[in-house]
């Protein structure tokens, strides 16, 4: 079997998941990877056959999306050329982890595909949403990477096509410890912003994973560390608690390890507000921003004993087996029904 695997490279979560899934996909055949995106800190430890700048998200230094930079990176002629040239029709199975160019190429060439990953779960109305839904956010979740089949991943099985998170082997096999630090990963905040609100909490030690530093840098009660898979795993496994964005992979790993977890959704990123709504239902505290009120929330949270946990019912091998046995190519005739408002004719 020839498998086309499209990986969204905005942020680090998709790449982290891809590195875990790839060996299992390779048991079923030859896998060619399409890496799309221009804003990540981790490298994909595998041969990449196709690359694209894709349609990426960029962040400000104060917890939000940088809409100007996102718009500046859009290049319609480049995107159209990549859609036209991407050879998805040569493959027996197209697996798409929330990547828009692959989705458009499959739509243009009428090739079936499966949207596999966390974002696929939002096709279901049963998945938690924030109190105030965002119409544009909902549209993006449903249309950014449209497919003919969906297999979602989420904290709980909110619907029959949703499976548990894919947890890295290093986390699954770890013996959690508590050596007293708080792990911090807030990719949309600058080091200066993080320092401003964490440094006054002198009774706590923080390990902050940063986009800015090239080597470990101590600053009072804060150790700034460059983003690396090995260092982050070690910090997470040995921390007392973790403060991070409301993404999917890192909160799932923290819950699996039984760590205290607090999240701050990235402003303007609707998916994170949906995740925050799900985490809040599980008992995880959610903050609107890293600001002057942070210390008043942080200290009481650190004194709490109760910690929400995540229990897995599936192994990674079982998740891939489910995907492979339920997502075979469909007849071309079904595509017109699944894409009734196709933009290409």
């Amino acid at each position: 079997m020839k498998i086309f695997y499209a990986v969204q490279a905005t942020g680090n979560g998709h790449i982290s998941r891809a590195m875990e899934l790839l060996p299992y996909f390779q048991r079923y055949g030859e896998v060619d990877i399409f890496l799309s995106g221009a804003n990540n800190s981790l490298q994909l430890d595998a041969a990449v056959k196709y690359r694209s700048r894709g349609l990426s998200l960029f962040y400000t230094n104060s917890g939000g999306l940088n809409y100007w930079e996102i718009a500046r990176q859009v290049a319609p002629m480049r995107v159209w050329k990549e859609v036209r040239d991407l050879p998805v029709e040569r493959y027996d199975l197209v697996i798409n982890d929330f990547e828009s160019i692959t989705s458009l190429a499959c739509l243009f060439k009428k090739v079936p595909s499966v949207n596999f990953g966390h974002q696929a779960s939002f096709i279901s109305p049963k998945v938690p949403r924030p109190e105030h839904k965002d119409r544009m956010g909902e549209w993006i979740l449903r249309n950014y990477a449209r497919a003919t089949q969906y297999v979602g991943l989420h904290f709980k099985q909110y619907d029959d096509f949703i499976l548990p998170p894919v947890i890295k082997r290093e986390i699954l096999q770890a013996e959690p410890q508590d050596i007293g630090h708080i792990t911090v990963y807030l990719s949309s905040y600058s080091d200066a912003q993080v320092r401003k609100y964490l440094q006054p909490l002198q009774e706590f030690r923080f390990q902050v994973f940063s986009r800015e530093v090239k080597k470990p840098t101590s600053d009072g009660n804060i150790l700034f560390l460059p983003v690396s898979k090995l260092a982050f795993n070690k910090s997470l496994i040995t921390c007392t608690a973790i403060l991070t964005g409301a993404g999917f992979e890192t909160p799932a790993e923290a819950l699996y390890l039984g760590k205290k977890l607090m999240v701050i959704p990235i402003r303007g990123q609707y998916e994170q507000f949906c995740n925050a709504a799900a985490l809040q239902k599980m008992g995880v505290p959610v903050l609107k921003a890293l600001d002057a009120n942070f210390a008043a929330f942080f200290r009481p949270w650190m004194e709490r004993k109760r910690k929400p946990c995540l229990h897995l019912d599936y192994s990674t091998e079982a998740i891939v087996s489910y995907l492979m046995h339920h997502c075979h190519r469909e007849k071309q005739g079904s595509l017109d029904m699944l894409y009734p408002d196709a933009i290409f004719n």
Side-chain angles (χ1 to χ4, degrees):
M1 177 186 291
K2 291 191 66 178
I3 300 169
F4 183 97
Y5 184 24
V7 180
Q8 170 65 254
T10 295
N12 297 321
H14 299 272
I15 290 177
S16 177
R17 182 165 62 238
M19 288 190 289
E20 189 63 30
L21 289 167
L22 186 58
Y24 295 98
F25 288 151
Q26 289 171 332
R27 295 179 183 180
Y28 291 85
E30 178 186 347
V31 182
D32 288 342
I33 297 171
F34 176 42
L35 191 63
S36 172
N39 189 17
N40 58 279
S41 303
L42 289 180
Q43 298 298 313
L44 182 60
D45 297 333
V48 176
K49 185 159 187 176
Y50 311 101
R51 287 185 180 271
S52 168
R53 290 187 62 81
L55 301 174
S56 298
L57 299 179
F58 294 87
Y59 307 110
T60 66
N61 290 323
S62 56
L65 290 176
N66 186 334
Y67 294 104
W68 166 249
E69 185 63 21
I70 293 169
R72 194 175 72 84
Q73 295 291 332
V74 174
M77 293 305 295
R78 171 183 59 81
V79 170
W80 162 243
K81 183 178 185 304
E82 291 177 349
V83 166
R84 185 189 61 201
D85 294 346
L86 202 62
V88 290
E89 71 279 6
R90 299 178 190 171
Y91 292 85
D92 301 303
L93 178 62
V94 176
I95 300 171
N96 186 348
D97 188 356
F98 204 58
E99 200 290 303
S100 60
I101 290 172
T102 300
S103 174
L104 290 170
C106 288
L107 176 59
F108 175 54
K109 299 178 180 184
K110 294 191 177 296
V111 173
S113 66
V114 53
N115 184 337
F116 172 58
H118 178 54
Q119 286 81 4
S121 67
F122 292 101
I123 293 298
S124 172
K126 299 176 184 177
V127 169
R129 263 50 171 202
E131 184 177 350
H132 300 290
K133 286 187 178 181
D134 180 273
R135 289 185 180 180
M136 178 58 70
E138 287 285 339
W139 187 91
I140 290 170
L141 285 174
R142 290 177 176 275
N143 293 282
Y144 183 83
R146 292 177 68 181
T148 52
Q149 290 179 282
Y150 295 82
V151 176
L153 305 171
H154 216 303
F155 302 122
K156 293 186 176 182
Q157 190 176 21
Y158 299 106
D159 213 325
D160 58 6
F161 68 96
I162 297 174
L163 302 175
V166 172
I167 304 293
K168 296 193 292 282
R169 276 188 301 276
E170 297 91 334
I171 301 298
L172 288 172
Q173 297 169 2
E175 291 290 338
Q177 303 173 51
D178 181 353
I179 62 174
H181 65 269
I182 292 93
T183 299
V184 180
Y185 181 50
L186 295 169
S187 60
S188 62
Y189 285 91
S190 68
D191 289 356
Q193 287 287 103
V194 172
R195 182 184 297 109
K196 178 180 179 181
Y197 297 111
L198 299 189
Q199 214 157 51
L201 299 163
Q202 287 293 315
E203 67 270 39
F204 300 100
R205 291 187 298 114
F206 299 94
Q207 292 187 0
V208 176
F209 285 84
S210 162
R211 295 180 295 161
E212 301 173 29
V213 301
K214 301 300 181 185
K215 61 182 181 179
T217 306
S218 292
D219 189 351
N221 61 333
I222 303 173
L223 175 62
F224 288 98
L225 296 161
V227 177
S228 105
K229 178 183 175 182
L230 185 63
F232 185 77
N233 287 345
K234 181 179 178 181
S235 181
L236 182 59
I237 290 165
T238 58
C239 73
T240 301
I242 179 163
L243 171 66
T244 188
F248 181 60
E249 280 73 21
T250 297
E253 290 172 354
L255 291 170
Y256 176 79
L257 290 169
K259 302 294 183 177
K260 300 187 78 165
L261 172 66
M262 178 183 284
V263 300
I264 304 176
I266 295 173
R267 289 197 311 274
Q269 197 162 336
Y270 180 63
E271 177 207 331
Q272 292 219 353
F273 284 88
C274 294
N275 292 341
L279 289 167
Q280 203 160 32
K281 288 177 182 292
M282 297 170 67
V284 173
V286 176
L287 298 186
K288 290 183 178 179
L290 185 64
D291 56 21
N293 297 316
F294 176 71
F297 287 99
F298 183 80
R299 285 192 173 99
W301 170 63
M302 287 298 294
E303 293 173 1
R304 293 183 198 168
K305 300 296 183 185
R306 181 178 177 274
K307 296 179 291 186
C309 292
L310 178 68
H311 301 287
L312 293 184
D313 298 321
Y314 287 76
S315 65
T316 302
E317 182 177 13
I319 289 171
V320 173
S321 177
Y322 174 93
L323 173 71
M324 291 299 178
H325 287 92
H326 287 75
C327 296
H328 48 79
R329 292 183 74 108
E330 300 176 2
K331 293 181 180 178
Q332 184 168 321
S334 66
L335 288 163
D336 292 329
M337 176 183 69
L338 288 160
Y339 293 132
D341 54 343
I343 59 174
F344 299 111
N345 295 309

